[in-house]
């Protein structure tokens, strides 16, 4: 019934958007989907008002069909397989082949029609978080509309009234559907592209899953004790880096659809919170920050000038949120000689992992169950990067084409600008305790 086209890494989304089958104009818009977690280049608008498109971290923007001046999108709610990072896949629910679903980009004043087809085993709906719209388009099943039953397609239609940052997610069996990754980003661009211009505009959602070691499906009853903390359903080192050329103005928009707050921190630069849930902040109300807390259900747009070349960490500042497969129900063994202990416990409890001190050594020496990420897994130019989860790198380079979003590799610092080992007099002997 539907034609189905898959996109893979590097496929030209702009070409695909203009190639939407003309013969299908009388039918539902073609379903465009991807099974890749690779970051796609921004989708330049092939029609409608011009704007600088956003770059979705480890994601992509949904092409549309322009029909009689209305932008028509087709979302398909369905089970998907998401690679959280190399070595771990999650069986999630999402949209158009992935979780999160594709980013939807429109322009202030656009008339938008979204077809939503339900291929889940249960009913769903879509709520357009933050939008001004007619009450009957708000997507709360039972309150504003009947739920979309399996196999049905519903149509949402409204005018994008306010430029800003938005999200979409189900408002039906939310504890199940959001715990399984049903969510997506929405950006409404200014009608005037000269307003608040930036050179790079990154977007992603904060999400969290509770996936027991060795399993694939998140538990849907977990409220707080998640073990997989992700940027756009990717955990470091699976998260793509964000890149910028020295001197460029960078915007990063983050939406939080987890069940706790996340203090998001950028190294080496100050930023301003230029946008909140309710729209753009006035320039006189902005103050510099290096960390901004994003509460549950909130969206924030931060902006800064890429002032210093390098590989700058960008992460949630809750240290347990920059860990993979974190188990919290473990005793504190800090200071204890752990090697013999771990061996003894390991003979009684297969797969036992202790915690508290010397974590990276423990990580290196312990076999992991299948489909399970080590807590800290990244490798950098100087050794292990003891991070996982909600962590990525902002890579600022002096030479980078303005439309280049590829990973430029590790930073090569100027000689004499890296912390170095003291090679002079040794420190005084430790006092006896
Ligand atoms: Cu966090």
């Amino acid at each position: 019934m539907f034609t189905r086209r898959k996109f893979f890494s590097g496929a030209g989304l702009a070409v695909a958007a203009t190639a939407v089958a003309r013969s299908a104009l009388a039918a539902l818009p073609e379903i465009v989907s991807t099974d890749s977690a690779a970051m796609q280049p921004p989708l330049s608008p092939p029609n409608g008002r011009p704007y600088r498109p956003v770059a979705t971290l480890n994601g992509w923007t949904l092409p549309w069909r322009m029909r009689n001046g209305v932008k028509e999108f087709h979302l398909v709610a369905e089970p998907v397989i998401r690679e959280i990072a190399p070595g771990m896949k999650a069986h999630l629910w999402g949209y158009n082949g992935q979780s999160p679903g594709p980013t939807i980009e429109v322009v202030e004043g656009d008339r938008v029609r979204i077809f939503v087809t339900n291929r889940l085993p249960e009913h769903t709906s879509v709520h357009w978080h933050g939008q001004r719209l007619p009450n009957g388009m708000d997507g709360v099943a039972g309150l504003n509309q009947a739920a979309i039953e399996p196999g049905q397609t519903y149509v949402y239609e409204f005018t994008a009234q306010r430029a800003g940052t938005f999200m979409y997610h189900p408002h039906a069996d939310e504890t199940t559907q959001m715990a399984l990754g049903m969510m997506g980003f929405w950006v409404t661009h200014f009608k005037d592209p000269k307003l608040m211009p930036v050179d790079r505009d990154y977007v992603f959602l904060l999400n969290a899953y509770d996936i027991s070691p060795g399993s694939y499906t998140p538990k849907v009853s977990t409220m707080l004790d998640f073990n997989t903390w992700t940027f756009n359903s990717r955990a470091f080192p699976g998260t793509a880096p964000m890149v910028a050329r020295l001197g460029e103005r960078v915007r990063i928009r983050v939406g939080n659809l987890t069940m706790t707050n996340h203090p998001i921190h950028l190294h080496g630069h100050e930023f301003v919170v230029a946008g909140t849930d309710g729209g753009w902040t006035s320039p006189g109300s902005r103050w510099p920050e290096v960390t901004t807390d994003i509460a549950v259900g909130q969206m924030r747009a931060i902006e800064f000038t890429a002032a210093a070349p390098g590989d700058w960490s960008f992460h949630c500042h809750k240290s347990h949120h920059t860990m993979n497969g974190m188990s919290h129900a473990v005793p504190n063994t800090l200071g204890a000689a752990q090697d013999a202990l771990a061996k003894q416990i390991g003979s009684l409890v297969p797969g036992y992992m202790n915690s508290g001190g010397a974590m990276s050594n423990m990580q290196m020496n312990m076999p992991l169950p299948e489909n399970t990420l080590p807590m800290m897994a990244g490798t950098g130019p100087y050794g292990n990067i003891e991070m996982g989860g909600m962590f990525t790198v902002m890579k600022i380079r002096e030479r980078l084409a303005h439309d280049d979003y590829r990973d430029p590799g590790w930073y090569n610092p100027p000689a004499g600008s890296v912390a170095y080992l003291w090679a002079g007099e040794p420190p005084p002997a430790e006092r006896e305790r």
Side-chain angles (χ1 to χ4, degrees), residues 242-395:
M242 291 183 280
V243 302
R245 183 186 171 122
L246 188 67
E248 281 184 333
R249 190 75 180 161
V250 180
R251 179 182 293 148
I252 303 173
R253 314 187 199 213
V254 185
N256 180 3
L257 287 176
T258 72
M259 289 202 269
T260 187
N261 61 314
H262 300 280
I264 296 295
H265 177 50
L266 172 66
H267 290 211
H269 292 74
E270 312 86 47
F271 58 77
V272 292
V273 177
T276 68
D277 304 37
W280 297 102
T281 56
S282 64
S285 73
R286 299 173 187 176
W287 63 86
E289 294 277 16
V290 295
T291 302
T292 192
D293 197 27
I294 306 179
V296 180
Q298 283 189 331
M299 298 154 286
R300 290 287 179 267
I302 64 168
E303 288 184 17
F304 61 96
T305 299
D311 288 341
W312 302 105
S313 293
F314 180 88
H315 60 94
C316 176
H317 217 288
K318 289 185 175 175
S319 56
H320 284 217
H321 294 182
T322 52
M323 300 278 244
N324 296 324
M326 183 81 191
S327 171
H328 302 105
V330 288
N332 187 358
T333 54
L334 193 62
Q338 296 184 50
D339 286 0
L341 180 73
K343 267 188 205 128
Q344 282 177 355
I345 300 178
S347 68
L348 299 169
V349 186
Y352 166 78
M353 287 181 266
N354 58 357
S355 178
M359 291 186 103
S360 49
N361 290 339
M362 178 268 290
Q363 285 282 314
M364 297 301 133
N365 299 333
M366 285 287 171
L368 290 168
E370 68 149 17
N371 199 49
T372 301
L373 296 174
M375 283 191 217
M376 304 167 282
T379 306
Y382 305 100
N384 295 327
I385 301 172
E386 297 180 325
M387 291 278 152
M390 291 175 159
F391 181 94
T392 187
V393 180
M394 181 84 227
K395 297 190 171 188

Side-chain angles (χ1 to χ4, degrees), residues 176-226:
T176 298
Q177 296 189 9
M178 290 176 65
L180 289 174
M182 294 193 72
M183 52 191 73
F185 218 95
W186 177 302
V187 169
T188 301
H189 294 276
F190 284 117
K191 195 181 275 182
D192 177 359
K194 289 193 280 295
L195 276 175
M196 289 176 58
V198 290
D199 300 297
R200 312 253 175 180
D201 197 339
Y202 289 97
V203 307
F204 65 89
L205 293 168
L206 302 166
N207 13 52
Y209 302 99
D210 184 12
I211 303 174
S212 298
S215 73
Y216 290 80
T217 304
K219 292 184 205 162
V220 298
S221 58
T222 299
M223 184 177 168
L224 290 174
D225 202 6
F226 296 90

